[in-house]
């Protein structure tokens, strides 16, 4: 699947927002980068939908701008004033040229979902490849109000059970895109999360 990180050039804090332009153009998360609409327009004329992994500010700050520019549908687990389609665990959603299964993965956020196709994992913040805390398998922080390490561990376990062996691309909310043995990265993230140790020294 052809995927572009449209917030890659951001100079301020944002999540990675991923555009899948082929087939049915889809944006996974909107990010917090001013000017993201211009970057999207460099790749596509129309956008069919935005799918949110969760509604933390760094993932939705530019959501209204994107929806206004493209009149796209909004797919989200939790309620949102502009949501057109509610998604739940086990649902499917089109992301570009591929069909993804929705996997409910709370812990970092109560409304967190991951998207899994035969070749790709959009993991949001539940699992990342590298984020400054760990390389080659890390996980979303769980030290803030409303977050739970125990629930995140359960979510990663569930994600592993439902991750096809054929998945070889991981697009996470932070850090770099990973290509290769995605399952091994998720397994290392789970092992680290299971230690119950603080992810950051000041946690």
């Amino acid at each position: 699947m052809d995927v572009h990180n449209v917030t890659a050039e951001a100079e301020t804090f944002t999540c990675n927002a991923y555009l899948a332009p082929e087939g049915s153009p889809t944006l996974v998360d909107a990010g917090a980068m001013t000017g993201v609409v211009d970057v999207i327009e460099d790749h596509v004329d129309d956008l069919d939908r935005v799918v949110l992994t969760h509604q933390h500010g760094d993932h939705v700050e530019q959501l209204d701008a994107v929806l206004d520019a493209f009149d796209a549908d909004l797919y989200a687990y939790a309620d949102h004033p502009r949501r057109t389609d509610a998604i739940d665990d086990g649902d499917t959603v089109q992301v570009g040229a591929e069909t993804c299964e929705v996997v409910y993965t709370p812990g970092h956020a109560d409304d967190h979902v991951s998207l899994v196709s035969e070749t790709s994992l959009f993991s949001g913040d539940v699992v990342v490849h590298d984020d400054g805390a760990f390389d080659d398998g890390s996980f979303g922080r769980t030290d803030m109000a409303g977050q739970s390490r125990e629930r995140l561990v359960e979510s990663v376990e569930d994600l592993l059970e439902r991750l096809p062996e054929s998945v070889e691309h991981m697009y996470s909310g932070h850090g770099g895109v990973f290509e290769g043995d995605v399952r091994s990265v998720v397994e290392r993230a789970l092992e680290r999360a299971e230690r119950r140790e603080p992810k950051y020294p000041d946690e």
Side-chain angles (χ1 to χ4, degrees):
M1 176 161 48
D2 187 22
V3 176
H4 302 278
N5 179 357
V6 293
T7 57
E9 301 303 317
E11 297 180 356
T12 56
F13 183 69
T14 180
C15 77
N16 297 326
Y18 295 107
L19 174 67
E22 298 176 332
S24 182
T26 302
L27 184 70
V28 178
D29 291 326
M33 185 186 82
T34 302
V36 69
V37 169
D38 295 332
V39 181
I40 296 169
E41 289 176 338
D42 288 340
H43 297 282
V44 296
D45 294 323
D46 296 303
L47 188 67
D48 289 342
R49 69 188 60 78
V50 178
V51 184
L52 298 180
T53 61
H54 61 298
Q55 296 187 41
H56 283 172
D58 57 317
H59 291 252
V60 300
E61 185 177 311
Q62 292 297 313
L63 179 60
D64 282 339
V66 171
L67 295 177
D68 290 344
F70 295 100
D71 192 29
D73 291 333
L74 177 62
Y75 288 65
Y77 180 90
D79 192 27
H80 186 281
R82 303 188 67 171
R83 184 177 70 177
T84 59
D85 296 83
I87 52 177
D88 204 348
D89 187 68
D91 289 347
T92 58
V93 60
Q94 193 73 16
V95 177
E98 296 191 10
T99 300
C100 291
E101 180 185 10
V102 176
V103 181
Y104 181 48
T105 48
H108 175 74
D110 287 343
D111 64 332
H112 199 291
V113 298
S114 301
L115 308 172
V116 181
S117 76
E118 287 300 314
T119 66
S120 302
L121 165 63
F122 294 88
S123 58
D125 289 0
V126 68
V127 173
V128 303
H129 176 249
D130 55 277
D131 61 358
F134 300 106
D135 291 333
D136 199 27
S138 189
F139 54 91
R141 67 185 306 158
T142 56
D143 60 309
M144 302 176 74
Q147 298 178 330
S148 168
R149 179 69 64 87
E150 297 300 322
R151 189 62 185 89
L152 181 136
V153 167
E154 294 176 8
S155 292
V156 180
E157 289 173 338
D158 190 27
L159 185 59
L160 269 174
E161 289 180 4
R162 297 162 67 177
L163 193 68
E165 295 287 347
S166 54
V167 171
E168 57 185 8
H169 307 282
M170 186 171 80
Y171 305 100
S172 54
H174 300 279
V177 171
F178 177 77
E179 297 185 359
D181 187 355
V182 172
R183 175 171 291 276
S184 67
V185 174
V186 178
E187 288 173 344
R188 280 190 288 275
L190 177 60
E191 290 170 2
R192 287 168 169 151
E194 285 177 329
R195 295 173 192 165
R196 309 315 200 267
E197 297 171 355
K199 179 177 176 181
Y200 298 105
D202 59 348
E203 253 187 76

